[in-house]
């Protein structure tokens, strides 16, 4: 399959994703039984994961999407300017940040720094995908759906130059010849 100038091949099926989401939801359901977590999905990439995950959460919970605006709009630049969208007070709340993918972890680190000063009782992270870079750096992510190597993926909310978010399966980029 071609998106713009790049070839992608099938990688992870919708069924495999469904199972990974179910596993993450099961763990969150077990850990937050007597709590009322506030899920904070980070737009744009996490919108589909968040929608599927939230529908598998049994207990009482809230959700508030945020958008991390960057200075230059480049992916993985890590130059997060601010969080747009949180209206709920985070004071004494149990927060679960919902990410599509953790690569260098810079975006996540900036999110955690920003949330850290707002008085939350606990902050954990749920991501559908985690790349090898993040594992090697020892970035703490409690709930991980699927582990990847360094491949660039598209689909299920993730984009290549703004395209491909609507694909139900995940595709990975062919290395350029
Ligand atoms: P990090 O700050 O390097 O961890 O990158 C996080 C953000 O970069 C993600 O939320 C995605 O928006 C984007 N990103 C990183 N890797 C990929 C990928 O393989 N496909 C699509 N987007 C990606």
């Amino acid at each position: 399959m071609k998106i713009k100038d790049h070839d992608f091949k099938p990688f992870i099926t919708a069924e495999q994703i469904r199972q990974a989401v179910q596993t993450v939801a099961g763990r969150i359901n077990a850990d937050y039984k007597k709590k009322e977590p506030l899920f904070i999905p980070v737009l744009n990439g996490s919108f589909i994961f968040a929608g599927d995950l939230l529908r598998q959460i049994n207990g009482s919970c809230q959700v508030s999407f945020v958008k991390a605006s960057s200075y230059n709009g480049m992916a993985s630049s890590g130059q997060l300017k601010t969080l747009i969208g949180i209206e709920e007070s985070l004071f004494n709340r149990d927060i679960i940040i919902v990410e599509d993918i953790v690569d260098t972890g810079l975006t996540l680190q900036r999110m955690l720094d920003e949330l850290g000063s707002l008085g939350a009782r606990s902050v954990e992270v749920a991501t559908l995908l985690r790349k090898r870079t993040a594992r090697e750096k020892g970035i703490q992510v409690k709930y991980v759906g699927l582990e990847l190597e360094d491949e660039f993926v598209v689909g299920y909310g993730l984009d290549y130059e703004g395209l491909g978010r609507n694909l139900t399966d995940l595709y990975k980029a062919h290395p350029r010849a």
Side-chain angles (χ1 to χ4, degrees):
M1 185 187 53
K2 213 171 182 86
I3 301 178
K4 289 209 166 166
D5 56 336
H6 215 108
D7 284 325
F8 290 84
K9 63 179 180 187
F11 183 37
I12 297 170
T13 65
E15 175 56 23
Q16 289 172 300
I17 297 170
R18 193 190 63 74
Q19 285 175 20
V21 174
Q22 200 170 32
T23 303
V24 169
R27 290 183 55 204
I28 293 174
N29 283 332
D31 291 350
Y32 288 80
K33 264 200 180 96
K34 297 207 170 75
K35 296 174 179 162
E36 191 171 79
L38 170 61
F39 288 90
I40 302 186
V42 184
L43 292 170
N44 292 323
S46 71
F47 77 110
I48 295 181
F49 175 46
D52 283 350
L53 180 70
L54 265 288
R55 284 180 294 173
Q56 303 236 23
I57 299 300
N58 305 323
S60 183
C61 67
Q62 291 184 318
V63 58
S64 184
F65 283 82
V66 296
K67 182 145 182 139
S69 85
S70 71
Y71 279 110
N72 56 14
M74 278 172 57
S76 287
S77 68
Q79 293 180 307
L80 183 71
K81 193 161 84 177
T82 186
L83 296 176
I84 302 166
I86 301 185
E87 278 151 21
E88 287 76 10
S89 165
L90 302 189
F91 187 72
N92 269 348
R93 297 301 308 268
D94 293 304
I95 308 294
I96 304 176
I97 297 170
V98 181
E99 276 276 16
D100 50 352
I101 189 164
V102 183
D103 180 4
T104 64
L106 287 170
T107 308
L108 189 57
Q109 196 51 57
R110 298 296 297 269
M111 284 269 309
L112 292 169
D113 290 348
E114 194 150 332
L115 295 179
S117 58
L118 300 176
R121 179 168 32 209
S122 68
V123 182
E124 297 293 353
V125 180
T127 185
L128 177 68
L129 305 166
R130 177 168 62 176
K131 286 196 194 176
R132 194 219 309 225
T133 328
R135 286 199 296 284
E136 285 174 353
K137 283 177 142 184
I139 292 155
Q140 293 300 312
V141 180
K142 188 156 189 186
Y143 306 101
V144 180
L146 296 159
E147 301 280 5
L148 304 185
E149 292 305 308
D150 281 336
E151 44 252 331
F152 186 87
V153 295
V154 69
Y156 197 76
L158 291 111
D159 73 302
Y160 170 58
E161 298 204 357
L163 299 173
R165 294 191 196 276
N166 54 317
L167 298 164
T168 52
D169 296 346
L170 276 167
Y171 294 77
K172 82 172 171 184
H174 266 305
R176 284 183 198 277

